[in-house]
Amino acid sequence: MEVTVPMEGKIVAIKVNVGDKVSEDDEVAVMEAMKMEMPVVCPADGVVKEIKVKVGDKVAAEQALMIIE
């Protein structure tokens, strides 16, 4: 399962590491869009398999930030 963002912006924080267990609605990252910081939440329970972005990366709407298994 992919964790995606709803709009384009910039990643300002990643709050998990590969191998971390996460639950639905856990905050896994923070992005900045329209001069506001917005939390990125996990859509389901699982384990972080892969993180595809780093702090400072610009992201597009619906871009996958990480993979949860």
Side-chain angles (χ1 to χ4, degrees):
M1 164 178 328
E2 294 181 337
V3 177
T4 61
V5 292
M7 64 182 68
E8 74 176 49
K10 183 172 87 173
I11 301 301
V12 294
I14 296 175
K15 298 190 168 201
V16 295
N17 296 300
V18 171
D20 287 356
K21 290 182 181 180
V22 292
S23 298
E24 185 175 359
D25 294 329
D26 280 356
E27 187 173 313
V28 295
V30 179
M31 71 176 284
E32 181 181 283
M34 300 183 301
K35 298 187 180 187
M36 296 186 317
E37 288 190 357
M38 302 169 49
V40 178
V41 297
C42 188
D45 296 351
V47 176
V48 179
K49 173 76 173 170
E50 178 184 357
I51 299 175
K52 297 179 168 246
V53 295
K54 60 186 183 304
V55 173
D57 283 357
K58 291 184 179 179
V59 293
E62 303 304 321
Q63 179 175 334
L65 302 185
M66 56 189 72
I67 305 295
I68 306 294
E69 281 190 339

